[in-house]
Amino acid sequence: MPDAAAALLREEVGADPGAARRPPVALDEVRLPDPRLPGAVRERLAAALGAEHVRDDREARVAHAAGRSYPDLVRLRSGDASSAPDAVVMPGSAEQVGAALATCAEHHVAVVPFGGGTSVVGGVEPVSDGFAGAVSVDLRGLDRVVSIDRTSLTSTLEAGLSGPQIERALAAEGLTLGHFPQSFEYSTVGGWVATRSAGVASTGYGRIDELVEGLRLIAPAGEVDARALPASAAGPDLRELLVGSEGVLGVICDATLRVRRAPDAKRYEGWWFGSFAEGREAFRVMEQADASPDVARLSDEDETRFSLAFASPGGAVERLGRAYLRARHRESGCLAIVGFEGTAEDVERRRVRTASLLRAGGGIALGRRPGELWLRSRYAGPYLRDELLDRAVLVDTLETATSWSDLESLYRATGDALRSSLAGRGTPPFVMCHVSHLYRSGASLYFTFMARQEDDALAQWRAAKAAASEAIVTAGGTITHHHAVGRDHARWMRAEVGEMGLELIRAAKQRLDPAGIMNPGKLLPS
Ligand SMILES: Cc1cc2nc3c(=O)[nH]c(=O)nc-3n(C[C@H](O)[C@H](O)[C@H](O)COP(=O)(O)OP(=O)(O)OC[C@H]3O[C@@H](n4cnc5c(N)ncnc54)[C@H](O)[C@@H]3O)c2cc1C
């Protein structure tokens, strides 16, 4: 962590850089409950999948006990893996997935589909109360590129393929999926589709839900094949029921996704706006003029300060920013990153048009350096969480979206709720935000919040999370723009879809998963 960043944390949240570190406990110190899967179930799973693909050793169980949310990390680092599954199974085909689900349904064992395990909303934490046990179904063995159709620009991919595996296979054919969530290195096709994920370039390439052309789901009651078609008028779209189903209906075994020709040229650059409001308005005009780049991010004043302290203290971006502020007699400003990908000619044509709109909206071009810095380090930020947790700093993110008309009030309400919850408990907070996904009618807001960790770190987090979620729902935002519902947002689903909406999802679940074994406790409120 750069000195400037440590100083900012000390100033803002009172984090003591000299305090003793709190490293995570070693693997053999983690507390695990005894496995309680009935012997007959274990034997049947081993017969169907091969004994080596049914594990109940310490390492496998701890690695599948939780996802990667702040509460997950707090619990795991302190040695609490009480939620660990009784066993982890690793099917190698859709048929083996079906066999595992049949066995678990028959014996009333809860099943958690597990992709990369990067859920930040409690999506992969096993819930086994009322069940004979819990099994995580690790899907990373479903790793075949089934087909690549260069004519139709589609590719059928098995669920367990990770971001780098997919991009490598597509690059060999001159193609890209263009889906780059910050968890790209670990997350999987199945996880993306099951959570309606959005990547950092989704403004240009589209969210995963826009890229799904077809998919296959294996449920305890049978298989649903939402076949791949460019478009159809044959009734309600089954894909839309299955995309975002978060493992509660069944296991997505493969998906056919829309791909593109790999870009020959990329151009990423920085822009500077006098205020968050000014930048947002410029982004709105740009988006509604169909002139958005593929990546468009605008940090608020606090996130800009934070980024400068972490990314480039005293560097080119900071110097340009300061010069801008001096010239305008301003104290603060906001950094934006815009990125274009495509053919060289297309990138240049789009860039010129976008630049003229951003300039008309008050933006100052900072050149390529800030954009290239951001592109190079786009997956690095999250690793900082470990460093911050070592220093006993609460750090978490949450995200929402609403219309352009309501964006300002949602921004204020969510930020204020986080600040007052954390400050009310006596820990000065630092809350920052960026806009990162643009739509014709609105945009997403992505908040990062930090505070000195209290002794009861989970209670402190729960209070802040609940305050922010209530504020989001009251201000009319969605409870999640791309992280999904999981366990952490389930209680706000009623506000999101209404009672009848919940009943419809439950009816689909009842038909596909009559024993109710699929990912209990997620998506639907209890
Ligand atoms: C550092 C970090 C950065 C992140 N950045 C982003 C981001 O930029 N954009 C974004 O959208 N999200 C992001 N996330 C959240 C997370 O990566 C996404 O939700 C991702 O889509 C999860 O993929 P996964 O393969 O890890 O799924 P998992 O975490 O394993 O599972 C997520 C959910 O989907 C279910 N599931 C998984 N696979 C299947 C399947 N094949 N069939 C049925 N259900 C399944 C699980 O049961 C669970 O409910 C980030 C997370 C981290 C830790």
Side-chain angles (χ1 to χ4, degrees), residues 144-149 154-157 170 256:
R144 283 184 320 131
V145 175
V146 180
S147 63
I148 298 179
D149 180 343
T154 58
S155 175
T156 301
L157 301 164
L170 292 176
T256 301

Side-chain angles (χ1 to χ4, degrees), residues 97-115:
V97 169
L101 298 192
T103 301
C104 291
E106 198 180 311
H107 294 272
H108 203 58
V109 170
V111 170
V112 183
F114 193 101

